[in-house]
């Protein structure tokens, strides 16, 4: 007796439970190999991110309000970064100093990023705020940042609710080794 051109050993033909056990072990071995090889190149240790290229994440803070409210479920595509680095205005999930964070990419490698009274300048040009986001232009902490050149293999991210911080103003540009993926959908 054969299956797909392979001869099935007599012991397995006599005991179907042995066949199921062998299939389960082969599946577990394959899943472990894919997890270790990490074909999507994500920094995440999440099984879904490594095996399927997608994972979900609950919005960890109010830092992206009003765009993303705390508690929203984010669908993160970890395979999107295989085709190239994130682009300006992408919502990037990355590992910050205290766990996963979400930020908007505002600076790409080689660009100079600066904040003056809360307004964003990229390569000396004033950038508009994301739709629905009001930028507080009064004096306050984190509203001024001297020109910072984004190094190769890094991106500069800012949160939409800039008063909360927790972005590249504090921890610097985010290196590629800390990127998890791009937000592709939001569930409320």
């Amino acid at each position: 007796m054969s299956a797909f051109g392979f001869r099935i050993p007599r012991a397995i033909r006599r005991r179907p439970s042995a066949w199921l056990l062998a299939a389960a072990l082969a599946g577990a071995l394959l899943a472990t190999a894919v997890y270790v090889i990490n074909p999507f190149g994500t920094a995440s240790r999440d099984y879904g991110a490594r095996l399927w290229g997608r994972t979900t994440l609950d919005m960890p803070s109010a830092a992206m309000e009003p765009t993303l409210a705390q508690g929203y479920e984010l669908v993160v595509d970890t395979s999107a970064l295989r085709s190239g680095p994130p682009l300006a205005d992408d919502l990037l999930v990355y590992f910050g100093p205290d766990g996963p964070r979400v930020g908007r990419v505002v600076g790409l490698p080689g660009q100079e990023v600066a904040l003056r009274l809360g307004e964003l300048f990229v390569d000396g040009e004033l950038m508009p705020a994301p739709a629905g986001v009001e930028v507080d232009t009064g004096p306050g902490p984190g509203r001024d940042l001297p020109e910072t050149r984004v190094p190769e293999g890094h991106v500069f991210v800012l949160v939409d609710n800039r008063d909360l911080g927790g972005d590249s103003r504090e921890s610097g540009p985010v290196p590629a080794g800390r990127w998890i993926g791009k937000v592709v959908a939001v569930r409320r």
Side-chain angles (χ1 to χ4, degrees), residues 92-177:
L92 180 70
V93 179
Y94 63 98
F95 279 112
D98 55 352
R101 290 186 176 182
V102 180
R104 185 177 303 276
V105 176
V106 297
L108 301 174
Q111 291 183 323
E112 293 213 359
V113 178
L115 283 172
R116 294 184 199 116
L117 290 176
E119 293 190 316
L120 174 67
F121 290 83
V122 177
D123 290 334
E125 191 175 319
L126 176 64
M127 303 304 289
V133 176
E134 285 188 35
V135 176
D136 186 353
T137 57
R143 298 219 174 100
D144 288 315
L145 177 76
E147 285 190 356
T148 303
R149 181 168 294 279
V150 181
E152 287 300 317
H154 292 67
V155 293
F156 199 93
V157 297
L158 288 177
V159 294
D160 288 351
N161 191 343
R162 302 216 177 119
D163 288 337
L164 292 180
D167 52 28
S168 290
R169 292 174 293 171
E170 297 173 3
S171 55
V174 182

Side-chain angles (χ1 to χ4, degrees), residues 33-149:
V34 169
Y35 179 85
V36 170
I37 293 169
N38 192 9
F40 299 110
T42 181
S44 176
R45 292 189 176 148
D46 178 71
Y47 288 105
R50 287 185 171 217
L51 296 177
W52 313 118
R54 295 234 171 171
T55 188
T56 59
L57 170 75
D58 288 334
M59 183 61 200
S61 72
M64 287 299 292
E65 287 182 353
T67 308
L68 302 172
Q70 187 171 3
Y72 279 10
E73 184 179 35
L74 310 177
V75 178
V76 181
D77 185 357
T78 59
S79 65
L81 299 174
R82 295 276 301 182
S83 60
L87 303 174
D89 215 35
D90 280 346
L91 297 180
L92 180 70
V93 179
Y94 63 98
F95 279 112
D98 55 352
R101 290 186 176 182
V102 180
R104 185 177 303 276
V105 176
V106 297
L108 301 174
Q111 291 183 323
E112 293 213 359
V113 178
L115 283 172
R116 294 184 199 116
L117 290 176
E119 293 190 316
L120 174 67
F121 290 83
V122 177
D123 290 334
E125 191 175 319
L126 176 64
M127 303 304 289
V133 176
E134 285 188 35
V135 176
D136 186 353
T137 57
R143 298 219 174 100
D144 288 315
L145 177 76
E147 285 190 356
T148 303
R149 181 168 294 279

